Amino acid sequence: MDLSRRGFLQAAALTAAASGLTVACGGGSGSGGTRNGKNLTLWYWGGALSDKVVAEARAHFAGEVKLTAASIGGDFKQKLTTTLAAGSSVPDITGIKGEDMASFLPNAGRFLDLNDLGFKQISSQYLGWKTKLAQTSDGKQIGFPIDIGPTALFYRADQFEKAGLPTDPDKIAAAAKTWDDYFTLGTELKKKVPGTYLVNNLGSVFTMAVGQGTRRFIDKDNHFIGDQDHIRTAWATAIRPYTLGLDARINDNSWNAAIGKSLTTELGAAWHALDIEQAAPATKGKWRVCAMPGGPANQGGSYLALPRQCRNPDEAFKIISWILSPANDARGFTDAAIFPAAPAAYSMPAMTGPDAFFGGQKIIEVFGPAAQAIPDSYEAPADAAVMAPYMTELTNVEAKGKKPDDAWKDAVSQARQIAQRQGVS
């Protein structure tokens, strides 16, 4: 899952102390603190929320509760899982990363149903597909959406111009409407601008192609479907740039050096814009954004949840509703490039201004519609583990020259074994 390159998170984690937050672990239920509901703890990781908004929440609710916000470093999921299992020092409010939500749903009893606290009355303010990913099969709402990662095509307008191609986002979107169109465009770019590549690696294409569909690797009846046509088609799509010589074969360690030089396009989520800007500041004004080939997908995005040990559920729900209101969601985008799950934020000034790095383009005009067009899909608890062999085998094609058909067979075989070990039939 190509979700690791969010470089600003490291810097964001360091801002917690500067914004007046208490950085600590513990303090929750069973920690020895007061149990009258006047003290509440919030766990999240750097960059998950706007530190400024969280600091203001502490002041806003100071007359009712004392909110202690803790920016947790390291493996957040592991620390949360261990704490929940132990049943002590459990935070009253916690973040859950989007890619981890499916693995928490089988243990939904460890969290409160937010619908009982009022989420159902305000759920229409948030994107339905995002909300559903944090629901149990019987309709309990475990997570309150923080953000999402609608995807698009980032491209170097200067390289397109050099190749004699259009540079306007609408025209490029039309020219790269399908994956086949996109690869045809890439072939022309490479011919006219030698030494450049269309995609960074095959895994990024595969991740996007899978995310554009409504089914993934395991169905709702807990059956393995990673060998079916929808995954085979996504695999074939990912292999195309390799066979056409359009694959730069870049890993995370070499991406920073390549982004400002040899890559003409990037497939990525809204938050990826900041990665590009930080890695290649000298290319300011040369990039543009348009709709992604084949339609949008989602990459990333998280939730807030209330563990069942929460000492004051009503007050805790008020706090997360305030932090994640559309207006504060828009501020989160300004503060830390956190793309809101509340569409009302997309028309607010914080999100509608021109972006100098993208030549003055108003990129919300691409990402806003993409966010609302992302298809509903089912993600099983074992989905991430089952997907891993496909990513490994795509790397084997790139790095070792493994034959794509052999890599496909091995990926399916390994994925099926992993699925069976996790109770998937």
Side-chain angles (χ1 to χ4, degrees), residues 27-40 66 92 311-312:
S29 176
S31 66
T34 61
R35 294 176 179 270
N36 59 7
K38 295 297 183 182
N39 290 347
L40 295 177
K66 178 182 178 182
D92 300 286
R311 292 168 289 182
N312 191 333

Side-chain angles (χ1 to χ4, degrees), residues 53 61 93 114 117-119 122 125-126 144-145 304 306 313-329:
V53 171
F61 291 94
I93 305 168
L114 299 181
L117 298 167
F119 182 78
I122 61 173
Q125 296 180 37
Y126 303 88
F144 195 127
L304 287 179
L306 305 183
D314 290 332
E315 202 65 34
F317 184 77
K318 288 181 185 178
I319 290 171
I320 64 176
S321 300
W322 188 86
I323 290 174
L324 300 177
S325 66
N328 283 330
D329 266 0

Side-chain angles (χ1 to χ4, degrees), residues 50-263:
S50 163
D51 290 327
K52 293 179 181 178
V53 171
V54 173
E56 288 180 16
R58 294 180 66 209
H60 184 81
F61 291 94
E64 303 167 52
V65 296
K66 178 182 178 182
L67 176 64
T68 300
S71 181
I72 306 298
D75 189 333
F76 187 92
K77 179 186 178 183
Q78 184 58 49
K79 291 180 180 179
L80 176 60
T81 300
T82 300
T83 301
L84 291 173
S88 61
S89 298
V90 178
D92 300 286
I93 305 168
T94 184
I96 296 179
K97 295 182 179 181
E99 61 266 32
D100 297 332
M101 176 55 75
S103 66
F104 281 104
L105 287 177
N107 296 305
R110 289 179 172 173
F111 301 93
L112 299 178
D113 182 358
L114 299 181
N115 285 331
D116 293 338
L117 298 167
F119 182 78
K120 185 173 291 187
Q121 285 69 43
I122 61 173
S123 62
S124 61
Q125 296 180 37
Y126 303 88
L127 291 164
W129 63 263
K130 177 66 175 179
T131 297
K132 289 178 183 177
L133 290 172
Q135 285 178 359
T136 62
S137 58
D138 58 354
K140 294 178 181 176
Q141 188 68 37
I142 304 306
F144 195 127
I146 297 176
D147 65 325
I148 58 173
T151 60
L153 177 65
F154 299 89
Y155 66 95
R156 285 282 297 272
D158 60 324
Q159 299 283 28
F160 276 60
E161 184 176 18
K162 186 176 181 180
L165 295 170
T167 60
D168 177 76
D170 289 338
K171 291 182 178 179
I172 297 303
K177 188 172 184 179
T178 68
W179 286 107
D180 284 343
D181 292 338
Y182 176 52
F183 298 140
T184 297
L185 189 65
T187 300
E188 188 172 357
L189 274 165
K190 187 172 179 62
K191 181 179 179 181
K192 295 183 176 180
V193 189
T196 60
Y197 296 91
L198 189 71
V199 302
N200 60 6
N201 58 50
L202 305 186
S204 64
V205 178
F206 183 69
T207 299
M208 297 297 179
V210 171
Q212 289 173 326
T214 58
R215 298 187 299 160
R216 295 179 63 84
F217 300 89
I218 302 166
D219 67 17
K220 292 182 179 180
D221 296 321
N222 203 35
H223 296 146
F224 174 72
I225 56 173
D227 57 350
Q228 295 186 7
D229 287 347
H230 65 293
I231 299 298
R232 189 68 172 96
T233 298
W235 175 274
T237 299
I239 292 295
R240 283 289 304 287
Y242 174 78
T243 58
L244 293 171
L246 306 177
D247 174 23
R249 309 183 193 187
I250 294 168
N251 58 37
D252 282 355
N253 294 328
S254 57
W255 182 82
N256 277 26
I259 187 61
K261 298 176 182 177
S262 59
L263 285 172

Side-chain angles (χ1 to χ4, degrees), residues 2 18 21 28 55 98 108 122 174 176 216 235 252 288 294 309 338 341 357 359 404:
D2 189 26
L21 307 184
I122 61 173
R216 295 179 63 84
W235 175 274
D252 282 355
R288 301 290 186 275
Q309 293 94 338
I338 302 169
F357 188 81

